[in-house]
Amino acid sequence: MTDTPTRPATSVDVARLAGVSQATVSYVLNDRPGARVGEETRRRVREAAETLGYVPHASARSLRTGRSGLVLLALSVAPTGRLVAGILDDLEAAFRERGYTLVQYGERRLRGVTAARAWAELRPVAVIAETYRLTEAAVRLLRSSGVRAVVGFGEGPSPLVATSVIDHAEIGSLAAGHLHDRGRRRLAAIVPKEEGLRKMGLGRLRGAERAAEARGLTVERVDLAFDEDEAAAAVAAWRSRDPGERPDGVFAYNDDYAMLLMSALLDAGVAVPGDVALAGCDDLPQARFTRPRLTSVRVESPPPDAGLVAAVDAAIRQERPLNPGEVLSRVQCALIARDSS
Amino acid sequence: MTDTPTRPATSVDVARLAGVSQATVSYVLNDRPGARVGEETRRRVREAAETLGYVPHASARSLRTGRSGLVLLALSVAPTGRLVAGILDDLEAAFRERGYTLVQYGERRLRGVTAARAWAELRPVAVIAETYRLTEAAVRLLRSSGVRAVVGFGEGPSPLVATSVIDHAEIGSLAAGHLHDRGRRRLAAIVPKEEGLRKMGLGRLRGAERAAEARGLTVERVDLAFDEDEAAAAVAAWRSRDPGERPDGVFAYNDDYAMLLMSALLDAGVAVPGDVALAGCDDLPQARFTRPRLTSVRVESPPPDAGLVAAVDAAIRQERPLNPGEVLSRVQCALIARDSS
DNA sequence: TTGTACGCGTTATCAG
DNA sequence: CTGATAACGCGTACAA
């Protein structure tokens, strides 16, 4: 009864116990169609693997085959929130079905090439990362380290990589169009001051502007931090204007900002939607708990995000390369009208 | 000018370009203290690595050294929400500082041993997973595949593994104590009907009961799904009782449920906090946007979660084993009193 | 039908 | 101070 700290079992151990060669173990466990192995032998191998608790060594396999089977998802979950969290499960299942292993790699603190280097060390077959992180140098590094598919996520099309796009402009456009439909004529759109959100805010603003322009209106840009005092100040600033100059329809970037703004408006005695109609984005569960209930643009990915996964898979097996600039999948938007507008 | 699809550069390539042996490259790039290499040679090696875009191959290294440096975090982000998202960054930075690579592995759909097998294939040095997933079989499999540190996360201490604990009882206790301090005597606690939340809900209920008992009170258990109609029904049920039998202080499990309940109460004309005081948990940003503002128990991990990381590190380098049952770190709770109580 | 031998990229040992 | 060489665990062509 040796009490060695039981080194993990290798395929050689399995072979020894089953009384066959290591190659046979490999044939049986991956059941290669080419190799014909006796039924009895297979059973013995399987049994031996079972009793030893054998688990193949992913590193060794990837070193031998030259493919890690790793799909690296490098998204910062926190800010993106709900949307990404929901997508994750589906994405994981879809990749797993095709034999890949989806792994998430935060590293929000590493920038640019440094992050890319960290990713590249794992030799993933694919990297899916927020588009803004995929600088030219980063993409070059990934490509040269053997990554077969580099996909941007979140922002608009990029000239560097294929992307899965959230069309922020459409979100803004949907919201602005809705506010106009509800009879609002003096529109405003919040742009968050927070770095990392601002870019998306500008995209949404641009969409709102386009929709407004098509209807002969303009959109007032309001930069706002996620802070109660700032919100109160913004509301006070509006109230100090002539009534005819105050916005009467506000797209608040997202539901969080919309709720912030709604509380500031109600505190100041501004009626919602009477004086100001409000629309957010994300369709948070909490959006239904405000009074009035919050109108919101719901953003959701196409079911198992099949387009993306299939395209990545094809690129990995080098059937069809991913073209820079290509849009692999587009997140869907829909306006959920409630009482705040 | 060959146009080969540039195979990733290996350390041999670097050696060739620098005109040294491959071993020297290894010495220089990892600067091993033992080996003395000339300054000029080091420079040449570094330069060669740079121009080739050399990135070490993690699989090869881990195969050779027997250590992957991978710390696997197997948490389902979505349900745990905000708390975990915040912790993640700190955890990642802390592990990185010590030379590990934190990687997140969702796989929420795989159960028990199947999930453990998938994790084990990557030969991580440590696995941090929700405690309920770490069954005896799973832990055995992980241990036998060489994982040096297995840590449970989220629920109370486990007899199988060391854990990082969120003390749900304390959360309930804090909330109930606070409600009592505010003069409430007929307490109730929400227990979510959702599978996966219920267990935590029961833990929080138990804590509330303990605190109540110490003050000569009891706590009414209210099972509730996250649904507006159910909330309205619960409120209606309360209102149909004698006034002296209605709860006047409710701990609503978390802020989401508290907001749900608050909207149902206000819809029914029940004053908050006049008739019913309300407390949630998580201190969501949105908790400050309700009127009245929501009292909440804030839950946060000790700064960079130093205890956990240090203990895991020590276990990995086999300095101090992790004892089953041991509590490595305990999430901190604090009550944030606002207007709803 | 099964076993042998080799190589993937790294690191560590040991001889020069 | 530097350069061969072996070994890590696995997959597969080829020999038996």
Side-chain angles (χ1 to χ4, degrees):
Chain A
M1 184 91 189
T2 55
D3 204 303
T4 347
T6 33
R7 191 180 43 75
T10 73
S11 61
V12 174
D13 298 329
V14 176
R16 201 161 25 226
L17 181 57
V20 300
S21 85
Q22 182 271 339
T24 307
V25 172
S26 184
Y27 285 141
V28 172
L29 263 33
N30 308 336
D31 48 22
R32 307 280 325 158
R36 312 200 65 72
V37 179
E39 200 47 59
E40 166 61 12
T41 310
R42 303 178 97 89
R43 211 190 45 69
R44 281 219 318 282
V45 169
R46 294 226 165 78
E47 195 179 293
E50 180 69 28
T51 64
L52 288 179
Y54 170 72
V55 176
H57 192 307
S59 290
R61 169 181 282 150
S62 95
L63 191 57
R64 174 63 240 210
T65 60
R67 258 191 215 26
S68 67
L70 230 49
V71 174
L72 213 62
L73 193 64
L75 302 183
S76 338
V77 204
T80 345
R82 200 144 229 98
L83 172 65
V84 173
I87 295 180
L88 222 72
D89 259 16
D90 295 336
L91 221 50
E92 181 136 56
F95 275 116
R96 161 154 293 268
E97 229 161 69
R98 293 169 188 257
Y100 301 105
T101 299
L102 185 83
V103 151
Q104 199 175 343
Y105 200 151
E107 288 304 1
R108 213 177 323 157
R109 309 210 174 156
L110 300 187
R111 315 224 145 244
V113 181
T114 315
R117 240 191 75 101
W119 303 336
E121 290 192 0
L122 298 179
R123 293 290 193 278
V125 289
V127 170
I128 306 176
E130 279 131 343
T131 309
Y132 74 88
R133 296 180 131 201
L134 297 173
T135 61
E136 204 186 322
V139 171
R140 212 184 9 247
L141 180 60
L142 291 176
R143 289 256 160 73
S144 79
S145 81
V147 178
R148 298 284 248 281
V150 180
V151 177
F153 190 91
E155 298 177 26
S158 152
L160 297 170
V161 292
T163 50
S164 171
V165 167
I166 297 179
D167 191 340
H168 291 287
E170 193 191 340
I171 294 172
S173 169
L174 231 60
H178 169 79
L179 291 170
H180 175 263
D181 291 345
R182 293 289 175 122
R184 308 301 162 145
R185 294 296 176 264
R186 297 183 306 279
L187 304 184
I190 302 294
V191 176
K193 285 186 182 171
E194 281 77 14
E195 187 62 42
L197 258 43
R198 199 181 53 225
K199 231 183 210 166
M200 298 188 270
L202 289 173
R204 295 180 188 189
L205 169 67
R206 202 162 37 237
E209 286 170 341
R210 275 210 290 269
E213 197 177 357
R215 297 153 187 247
L217 301 177
T218 60
V219 177
E220 179 185 343
R221 167 178 171 173
V222 180
D223 290 278
L224 192 67
F226 193 68
D227 174 274
E228 289 198 84
D229 294 334
E230 281 222 24
V235 170
W238 286 338
R239 301 203 62 199
S240 70
R241 301 183 191 169
D242 284 342
E245 300 292 320
R246 300 174 191 163
D248 64 358
V250 179
F251 167 54
Y253 176 68
N254 72 10
D255 289 351
D256 283 329
Y257 278 86
M259 292 170 77
L260 167 65
L261 209 55
M262 189 188 292
S263 66
L265 287 166
L266 297 178
D267 282 352
V270 179
V272 178
D275 299 322
V276 177
L278 219 49
C281 174
D282 281 350
D283 192 28
L284 296 183
Q286 291 96 345
R288 286 168 318 209
F289 303 154
T290 58
R291 295 294 179 267
R293 290 179 169 80
L294 189 60
T295 289
S296 187
V297 177
R298 166 182 288 163
V299 174
E300 54 191 11
S301 71
D305 223 337
L308 205 181
V309 176
V312 169
D313 188 22
I316 289 172
R317 33 178 31 144
Q318 303 190 308
E319 288 164 3
R320 196 184 70 79
L322 252 34
N323 304 115
E326 184 179 3
V327 171
L328 296 177
S329 81
R330 190 178 290 278
V331 166
Q332 304 293 323
C333 304
L335 194 126
I336 313 292
R338 283 194 277 257
D339 314 331
S340 72
S341 67
Chain B
M1 185 88 191
T2 55
D3 204 303
T4 346
T6 32
R7 192 181 41 76
T10 72
S11 59
V12 175
D13 299 328
V14 176
R16 202 164 21 230
L17 181 57
V20 300
S21 88
Q22 184 274 339
T24 308
V25 173
S26 184
Y27 283 139
V28 172
L29 262 35
N30 308 336
D31 47 21
R32 312 276 324 156
R36 313 199 63 73
V37 178
E39 200 47 59
E40 166 60 13
T41 310
R42 303 177 98 91
R43 211 190 45 69
R44 281 219 318 282
V45 169
R46 294 226 164 79
E47 194 179 293
E50 180 68 26
T51 64
L52 288 178
Y54 169 72
V55 175
H57 194 306
S59 290
R61 169 182 283 150
S62 97
L63 189 57
R64 171 62 241 211
T65 61
R67 223 167 250 112
S68 66
L70 229 53
V71 173
L72 213 63
L73 193 64
L75 302 183
S76 337
V77 204
T80 345
R82 200 149 228 93
L83 172 65
V84 174
I87 295 181
L88 224 70
D89 261 15
D90 295 335
L91 220 50
E92 182 135 57
F95 275 116
R96 160 155 294 269
E97 228 161 71
R98 293 169 187 259
Y100 301 105
T101 299
L102 186 81
V103 150
Q104 198 174 344
Y105 199 155
E107 289 302 3
R108 210 173 331 153
R109 310 212 172 153
L110 300 186
R111 315 223 147 246
V113 182
T114 316
R117 240 191 76 101
W119 301 338
E121 289 192 2
L122 297 179
R123 294 289 194 277
V125 289
V127 170
I128 306 177
E130 278 131 344
T131 309
Y132 75 88
R133 296 180 130 199
L134 297 173
T135 61
E136 204 184 322
V139 172
R140 215 186 4 252
L141 179 61
L142 291 175
R143 289 256 160 73
S144 79
S145 80
V147 178
R148 298 282 249 281
V150 179
V151 177
F153 190 91
E155 298 178 26
S158 151
L160 297 171
V161 292
T163 49
S164 171
V165 168
I166 296 179
D167 192 339
H168 291 287
E170 193 190 342
I171 294 172
S173 169
L174 229 60
H178 169 79
L179 291 171
H180 174 264
D181 291 344
R182 293 290 175 124
R184 307 302 161 146
R185 294 295 177 264
R186 298 183 305 280
L187 304 184
I190 302 295
V191 176
K193 285 187 181 170
E194 281 77 14
E195 186 62 41
L197 259 43
R198 202 180 50 225
K199 232 186 208 166
M200 299 188 271
L202 290 174
R204 295 181 188 191
L205 170 67
R206 203 162 38 238
E209 285 170 340
R210 274 211 290 271
E213 196 178 356
R215 298 155 187 245
L217 302 176
T218 60
V219 177
E220 180 184 343
R221 167 178 171 172
V222 181
D223 291 278
L224 191 67
F226 193 68
D227 174 273
E228 289 199 84
D229 293 335
E230 280 221 25
V235 170
W238 285 338
R239 301 205 63 198
S240 69
R241 301 183 191 169
D242 284 341
E245 300 292 319
R246 298 175 192 163
D248 64 357
V250 178
F251 167 54
Y253 176 69
N254 72 11
D255 288 349
D256 283 330
Y257 277 87
M259 291 172 77
L260 168 65
L261 209 55
M262 188 188 291
S263 66
L265 287 165
L266 296 179
D267 283 352
V270 179
V272 178
D275 298 322
V276 176
L278 218 49
C281 174
D282 281 350
D283 190 28
L284 296 184
Q286 292 96 347
R288 287 167 317 206
F289 303 154
T290 59
R291 296 295 179 266
R293 290 177 169 82
L294 188 60
T295 289
S296 187
V297 178
R298 167 183 289 163
V299 174
E300 54 190 11
S301 70
D305 224 337
L308 205 181
V309 176
V312 168
D313 188 22
I316 290 172
R317 33 179 31 145
Q318 303 190 309
E319 288 164 3
R320 197 183 69 80
L322 252 35
N323 304 116
E326 184 179 4
V327 172
L328 296 177
S329 81
R330 191 178 289 278
V331 166
Q332 304 293 323
C333 305
L335 194 125
I336 313 292
R338 285 193 275 257
D339 312 332
S340 73
S341 66

